[in-house]
Amino acid sequence: MSLSKILGIKKENEITYKLLNEFISNFNKNNLIHIYGGEESGKTTFALKLTELNPDKVFIYIDTYYSVTNINNENVILLRNNNINVIYDFLNKIDKNMCDCVILDAYSNLLNEEDKWNDKTYITMEDNLKKIYSLCVKKNCTLILLNTLNGKNKPFNKNNYLIANTYAEFLLSEYNHINNSILITPIKAINTKSKRIYF
């Protein structure tokens, strides 16, 4: 065991987020976290609650579906756009270490301006993910990728790059609006048991 673990010293790049700390204690700030679920599974609600519960962190929230009208948290910068060039230019202009976490909501709607749905779309989306994640690593921030399910009830465009670079992966299901709870199943994380989180 390292001396830093014995003394409880965290590495400079280690970070913890409330809501995710049930499954991840500390992870490197440059990690990619993949969170997916079906329609109305609470992905956006979960992500917005994450920003609210972590006022000491700076978030960039990218809303590709233009569904988030406003965010009242002062620690969140909202970008409503699904064009990869606009998103890339925006992220490229921020200073290194300015942002703790980029939340991309959602990967399934990340396209180029000229994109049309065909066989090449999936390759283009993978390339777009590479660009964004590489930039997040360069800027020293976590990327939380929200994703939908495809017709086979699997994460949309779960390609080799996404699989290889994902540090933790979670399935969100059974979102209950009445008691504000979401069932979270860790697919790739330390804790492999499903838990219902209340917020």
Side-chain angles (χ1 to χ4, degrees):
M1 183 179 283
S2 70
L3 182 61
S4 62
K5 284 188 178 180
I6 293 169
L7 297 175
I9 299 169
K10 293 181 182 180
K11 293 178 186 173
E12 188 179 320
N13 278 342
E14 284 186 346
I15 196 164
T16 300
Y17 293 119
K18 291 173 186 173
L19 274 190
L20 286 174
N21 58 2
E22 293 282 330
F23 309 97
I24 309 170
S25 54
N26 291 299
F27 54 93
N28 190 289
K29 208 174 169 189
N30 296 330
N31 284 331
L32 190 160
I33 299 172
H34 183 206
I35 299 174
Y36 62 91
E39 286 185 33
E40 302 297 319
S41 61
K43 298 181 296 293
T44 299
T45 300
F46 180 87
L48 291 175
K49 194 65 179 179
L50 188 68
T51 66
E52 184 184 318
L53 291 176
N54 294 277
D56 59 324
K57 309 289 190 292
V58 176
F59 294 87
I60 294 175
Y61 197 103
I62 302 169
D63 174 21
T64 66
Y65 280 103
Y66 300 82
S67 61
V68 178
T69 52
N70 60 15
I71 297 177
N72 296 325
N73 307 346
E74 292 181 3
N75 62 326
V76 183
I77 299 165
L78 175 63
L79 174 65
R80 297 173 72 222
N81 208 297
N82 71 336
N83 182 295
I84 182 62
N85 298 320
V86 173
I87 294 168
Y88 186 85
D89 288 344
F90 181 85
L91 294 176
N92 199 34
K93 288 176 184 172
I94 68 168
D95 294 332
K96 184 176 181 179
N97 297 315
M98 185 202 111
C99 172
D100 294 296
C101 181
V102 172
I103 298 175
L104 181 63
D105 183 6
Y107 174 53
S108 53
N109 200 38
L110 183 64
L111 297 171
N112 290 340
E113 208 171 73
E114 66 280 358
D115 279 346
K116 294 177 184 171
W117 285 99
N118 57 40
D119 292 342
K120 293 180 184 177
T121 301
Y122 299 101
I123 297 166
T124 302
M125 287 182 69
E126 183 176 354
D127 291 341
N128 291 344
L129 175 58
K130 287 178 188 177
K131 285 176 76 172
I132 288 179
Y133 181 51
S134 296
L135 196 50
C136 286
V137 170
K138 181 180 171 185
K139 301 294 182 173
N140 195 30
C141 56
T142 303
L143 175 61
I144 294 181
L145 192 70
L146 302 184
N147 199 359
T148 57
L149 297 177
N150 61 21
K152 297 179 180 177
N153 226 25
K154 301 288 182 189
F156 189 82
N157 200 23
K158 188 175 176 183
N159 50 61
N160 290 335
Y161 181 83
L162 181 55
I163 293 167
N165 288 282
T166 297
Y167 175 77
E169 184 175 77
F170 303 97
L171 169 65
L172 300 190
S173 59
E174 297 179 26
Y175 175 44
N176 188 316
H177 298 267
I178 297 167
N179 66 10
N180 282 328
S181 69
I182 300 175
L183 183 65
I184 303 175
T185 302
I187 307 301
K188 181 180 179 182
I190 295 168
N191 184 341
T192 55
K193 294 180 182 176
S194 297
K195 288 186 180 181
R196 182 166 291 279
I197 303 290
Y198 295 87
F199 48 82

